[in-house]
Amino acid sequence: MIFHSILFRSAEDRAPDVSPVAPDYFADLNLDQIVDAITTGKEGYDLKPFFHAPLRDIDAIAYRHEVMQALEDSRLLGIIKTFANSMQAMRRHLVQSDKLRYREQKELWFLDAVEIYCDAVNRLTRDLSGEIFSSRGLAAFRDYAAGYAVSEHFTSLTGQTKDLLADVASIEYCVLVDSPHLRVHKFAGEPDYTADVEATFERFKQREVEGHTFKFSESPDMNHIEAKVLELVGLLYPGTFIALTNFYAANKEYRDPGIMAFDREIQFYVAYLEHIAAFKHAGLLFCYPRVTGTSKEIYSFQGFDLALARKLLGERAVPVCNDFHIKDRERIIVVSGPNQGGKTTFARTFGQLHYLASLGCPVPGKEAQLFLFDALFTHFEKEESIDTLRGKLQDDLVRVHRILERATPDSIVIMNEIFTSTTLQDAILLSKQIATQIMDLDLLCVWVTFLDELASLSAQTVSMVSAVDPGRAAERTYKVVRRPADGLSYAMSIAEKHRLTYGMIKERVGR
Amino acid sequence: MKAHLLYRDRDADIERPLPWNEAALVQDLSLNTLFTAMARGDPFVFDVSRKVVLQGFGHGREAILYRQDVLRDCLAHPTVVRRLYTVAVGAMEAQKKHHLGFLARSPDSVLRYSVELMETFSGMLRALRQITDTFASAFGSDGWTTFFAMLKRELSDEYLASVQRHLKQLKFRRGVLFSAALGKGAKGDRYIIRQPPERRQNWLTRLLTQQPPSFGYTLHPRDDAGARALSELRDQGISRVADAVGQSAEHMRSFFIMLRTELAFYVGCVNLHDELTRKGYPAGFPSPAPADQRRLSFRGLYDICLALSIGHPVVGNDANADGKELLIVTGANQGGKSTFLRSAGLAQLMTQCGMFVAADSFCSSVCDGIFTHYKREEDTGMKSGKLDEELSRMSDIIDHITPHPMILFNESFSATNEREGSEIARQILSALLDARARIICVTHLYELARGLHERNMDNALFLRAERQEGGARTFRLLEGEPLRTSFGEDLYDSIFRSVHAPPVDGTVAAHGPD
């Protein structure tokens, strides 16, 4: 297999419009928070475009699963991280080289950058050489890198670099400072005076004393006296310095594009794995979902909202996990129940799972089968914007209409509390209309609503309810379970919370 | 270079933690009176004496006898000891005059400061050498002999001369020579100061030896930035040697600190001895016995703190409690019980740290901890009752108990009624005795004392504050079984009946509250 990219099997897998802009639904599903968290600290790699581009092919997802699974081996991950750190260091050296003023300095920083590059490539190929990969991408890359590492171009670059570095390292000179004069000559074995002084006064030592640490400018820049010394050293060692200048001029484009692309793209996996490690440590589960493009039987067990999990982790808590499973003709999950009971979180989780699955990433939960969508649409209640003259209801309808226009049978729609700004009767009527259209389109849908009527609309709807612990009715569990919607149970729990049940009121007034 | 005047083979580590019950010991044994007499106005001597005395646990007879020998030499030649101490103090005073700014600690400033400091110190070294040459032969103890031999060896004429040479060279009057390599980005790195070239080669030698090629540069007179940069370069060049010289100066300083510390303790002993001799009190060297022998016998044991604070003779006690583990002291109020208890504790403490004691003779097994449990006058806090507080302190002692402790009880467990107090005390004392503690217990819990007496224990000795016919007290303790009353009515009588007359024998008031 010819290596194309560690993220894509071939050029066709790349979305035509890999854009840095997040899809519309990102904010509704809190995917923006998730992607921000994943890519924090890795801004230099510009990974967001990859996280903004869902895949459209099941095998393209499998290709990523293979790489990701291989990287779950901490040894391999370590190899990649070592390589990445070296590449980072190399880039810092190049930046520094560009910034500096004196020629010799520019050239030496550049030389160090090339050395780091050569070492990193050699180390990586050596580390990967013995590996047996079931990942097609990693196997192909290993072969690619091995070929590059033995190429004439690369070996000669390495050889020149090492020779030149050895020459530079062998330079040792003496400076005699007697202000305002200074004089430089090659080091000629003059004895170390410090040792003499230490030996003389050693006998007074009672115990170790704290040494003096002196701070000198750590700036890589030189002042003109340092530069003058360097210039004089150059006169002592002219051959080395001319070779350095030639090397700098001849090797500007020393980096291999394939290696550099790998360095960037592999970070997609590293970033994701690093992100979920903390949650795994806290006891939460992740799994590689079965991704289906045909069957609309989907399920997830012990899934959770990854954005919420991150927030809770800061408070040393974990989110409540939820399950869903729909099959046969079931398409629409209608979520009802008490407010603040986890309904919106459930809807987001549903969306996040599908989205992350489409990126080829492991998803929250113990086990999952998810649908490979062609498009994902969300409609979450928005703050009314004053620059539109349309009313809220009209706005809702326009947005839903636009979604249904663009949706295909392979799309997923997530709706959260629409039609709250009209009468109950209107809301029921409109919702039923919309539901009919969704069913006609055979869309997978999660619909969070206060309308119990929707829950039992047809065989295609599944009712899920944010649950209340029967023993402690006033407490929320954030569990969303499959159960017929009965407005009563949650109304009662709120009544109990306010001590307004029949028994409580009797008791309170009975005194 | 080690003084080793406190220990034969190790440094005096006076900064190690004091016993956990330091505060109680100081209070219960009136130790500040002792330290004040030792210090004679020198706060450093006070501090060192306090630490050395309180750290006296945990070394055996050998170490004690070593110090006793050193101290005997000191008492025989007090002026020499004081002169040595003066030199060490002088070094510390002189170094205060040098200032190393805390802000700009450049290699150059550290180097200059350190060289000046060492020049000062080397004067003091010569003074030490002189004292050694003059007086060393008069000292006979192991400690002093080794000490003077060390000074003679380490501060030889040749050595002192080489110190002078280095201090001169370190001023770098003819420039600084250092080597360097190219570090990161061609910046100079691995600066090492090099032995400067020989003083001056004659023209012929210079002509004949091949000089390596070199290139020079001279600053423009108005290049101020260049001058700063050049001195920074020089600083980098000398930074390692500046550090080395800085540490060397610090080593010299620490030598004088160590010397001053070890001498301070003996100066304190000499001061105290002077004072006792002047007042006509005896001071003898005790004989320490091994910890596992139950030895305690003394003649003329008196309370040094009482002796230091009053102007006339104090009463000494005699007893032979060899083989005993429990001393129960009962008897009349203000009969000298507390004074005796303190004198015993002080003598034990002073024995432990190698001092003389306030007695004609004193022999005791060494211990590894002295614990005092005294009745406290006032409740320390609102939330704990008095007995609660007492028992809590007792519990602290149990927490810290050592294998060979000496425990002093003074009117403990009297915060409850006699029967309960006695029972608590009986249980505690019995448990401690089983743990092989040595106990001196001043009590007027008659139930307790009688109960213990009736057990006819081989390892117990009962002392009683003496009372003469007619109620007058001698402040002398004699062997005797506990008696039922503590003669409180005598005291009552003496105070209430003699309002216009001096109390019993004129010393009662001087004792303070008993």
Side-chain angles (χ1 to χ4, degrees), chain B residues 9-114:
Chain B
D9 48 12
R10 64 185 166 100
D11 296 345
D13 178 15
I14 66 162
E15 294 312 323
R16 71 198 153 100
L18 296 176
W20 66 278
N21 57 342
E22 171 220 342
L25 287 175
V26 168
Q27 180 181 351
D28 295 338
L29 302 180
S30 297
L31 292 180
N32 280 334
T33 310
L34 179 74
F35 303 145
T36 304
M38 292 177 79
R40 202 182 271 177
D42 182 335
F44 186 76
V45 174
F46 184 99
D47 186 54
V48 171
S49 301
R50 185 172 75 94
K51 286 171 178 163
V52 173
V53 168
L54 285 167
Q55 289 169 349
F57 304 107
H59 30 78
R61 286 178 70 239
E62 281 307 310
I64 292 171
L65 295 174
Y66 178 80
R67 275 195 206 167
Q68 286 187 358
D69 282 351
V70 171
L71 182 52
R72 279 194 189 93
D73 264 343
C74 294
L75 297 177
H77 309 285
T79 27
V80 180
V81 175
R82 289 189 199 281
R83 271 174 75 174
L84 285 169
Y85 180 68
T86 306
V87 171
V89 170
M92 289 298 101
E93 293 300 319
Q95 58 108 21
K96 282 187 198 154
K97 294 185 186 111
H98 299 278
H99 290 288
L100 177 59
F102 277 93
L103 290 173
R105 288 205 166 176
S106 68
D108 186 56
S109 64
V110 167
L111 181 66
R112 241 185 294 183
Y113 161 83
S114 306

Side-chain angles (χ1 to χ4, degrees), chain B residues 147-332:
Chain B
F147 174 78
F148 283 125
M150 178 277 291
L151 288 184
K152 214 172 261 180
R153 184 179 65 244
E154 302 287 355
L155 301 180
S156 67
D157 293 341
E158 305 84 73
Y159 179 70
L160 291 173
S162 90
V163 168
Q164 283 316 109
R165 206 165 49 244
H166 275 295
L167 293 178
K168 193 173 164 210
Q169 194 172 344
L170 283 167
K171 289 176 177 161
F172 296 114
R173 294 233 164 82
R174 293 194 319 283
V176 172
L177 178 72
F178 53 87
S179 66
L182 293 183
K184 195 80 197 159
K187 297 267 279 186
D189 191 22
R190 307 209 310 266
Y191 291 103
I192 296 171
I193 190 113
R194 297 293 170 178
Q195 198 73 262
E198 282 307 305
R199 192 160 186 52
R200 188 166 294 151
Q201 295 166 334
N202 65 43
W203 64 271
L204 189 63
T205 336
R206 230 180 308 164
L207 208 67
L208 292 177
T209 48
Q210 186 76 32
Q211 296 292 315
S214 68
F215 300 96
Y217 176 74
T218 300
L219 282 179
H220 190 279
R222 282 198 302 277
D223 183 1
D224 291 340
R228 275 195 303 279
L230 187 60
S231 85
E232 198 180 302
L233 181 65
R234 181 182 181 274
D235 267 349
Q236 290 194 309
I238 62 170
S239 68
R240 274 189 61 222
V241 79
D243 179 30
V245 173
Q247 293 195 31
S248 298
E250 199 48 44
H251 290 330
M252 268 201 197
R253 205 169 79 87
S254 63
F255 167 76
F256 282 108
I257 289 175
M258 176 275 302
L259 186 63
R260 180 171 73 146
T261 304
E262 301 215 355
L263 289 170
F265 172 69
Y266 291 105
V267 168
C269 293
V270 168
N271 287 342
L272 179 64
H273 196 267
D274 275 1
E275 182 75 9
L276 293 176
T277 313
R278 200 173 54 76
K279 291 193 167 180
Y281 291 115
F285 279 95
S287 58
D292 47 5
Q293 294 176 11
R294 295 321 204 205
R295 298 287 298 275
L296 179 63
S297 59
F298 44 83
R299 274 190 304 107
L301 175 67
Y302 63 94
D303 177 4
I304 204 165
C305 293
L306 185 63
L308 289 168
S309 53
I310 63 174
H312 60 82
V314 291
V315 176
N317 280 299
D318 306 338
N320 183 347
D322 285 349
K324 308 295 184 193
E325 289 170 323
L326 176 64
L327 250 68
I328 297 285
V329 185
T330 59

Side-chain angles (χ1 to χ4, degrees), chain A residues 93 105 108 112 173 175 177 180-184 190-191 193-194 200 203-204 206 212 219 221-222 224, chain B residues 1-2 105 154 159 166 175-176 178-180 184-187 193-195 214-215 217-219 223 243 251:
Chain A
H93 277 70
Q105 282 205 281
L108 269 175
D112 284 346
Y173 59 95
V175 188
V177 176
H181 312 288
L182 70 85
R183 182 156 282 277
V184 177
E190 293 90 341
Y193 182 46
T194 311
T200 302
R203 63 186 62 185
F204 294 100
Q206 302 297 313
H212 297 265
S219 154
D221 282 305
M222 283 186 169
H224 69 280
Chain B
M1 292 169 65
K2 308 290 188 186
R105 288 205 166 176
E154 302 287 355
Y159 179 70
H166 275 295
V176 172
F178 53 87
S179 66
K184 195 80 197 159
K187 297 267 279 186
I193 190 113
R194 297 293 170 178
Q195 198 73 262
S214 68
F215 300 96
Y217 176 74
T218 300
L219 282 179
D223 183 1
D243 179 30
H251 290 330

Side-chain angles (χ1 to χ4, degrees), chain A residues 29 31 34 272 285-287 289 291 299-306 322-324 346-371 373 376 412 414:
Chain A
L29 297 180
L31 282 166
I34 295 173
Y272 193 80
L285 300 174
F286 286 82
C287 63
V291 179
Y299 53 80
S300 155
F301 302 113
Q302 299 184 36
F304 56 89
D305 178 337
L306 192 53
N322 278 306
D323 305 339
F324 62 81
F346 177 85
R348 283 203 182 108
T349 305
F350 184 90
Q352 288 174 10
L353 293 180
H354 278 91
Y355 187 79
L356 294 171
S358 79
L359 292 176
C361 292
V363 300
K366 186 181 169 196
E367 195 187 347
Q369 175 162 304
L370 301 165
F371 186 72
F373 56 86
L376 181 61
I412 290 176
I414 297 170

Side-chain angles (χ1 to χ4, degrees), chain A residues 455-511:
Chain A
S456 49
L457 210 55
S458 77
Q460 281 161 273
T461 56
V462 170
S463 170
M464 295 187 74
V465 178
S466 54
V468 177
D469 184 336
R472 297 183 296 183
E475 283 182 28
R476 300 176 197 122
T477 65
Y478 301 104
K479 271 280 181 203
V480 175
V481 296
R482 187 163 172 157
R483 203 173 72 195
D486 53 348
L488 212 58
S489 70
Y490 88 78
M492 286 309 290
S493 77
I494 294 169
E496 279 178 23
K497 195 168 104 185
H498 293 279
R499 302 193 64 217
L500 293 172
T501 62
Y502 176 77
M504 284 171 164
I505 293 172
K506 263 190 75 116
E507 204 175 291
R508 288 164 79 178
V509 298
R511 281 181 301 190

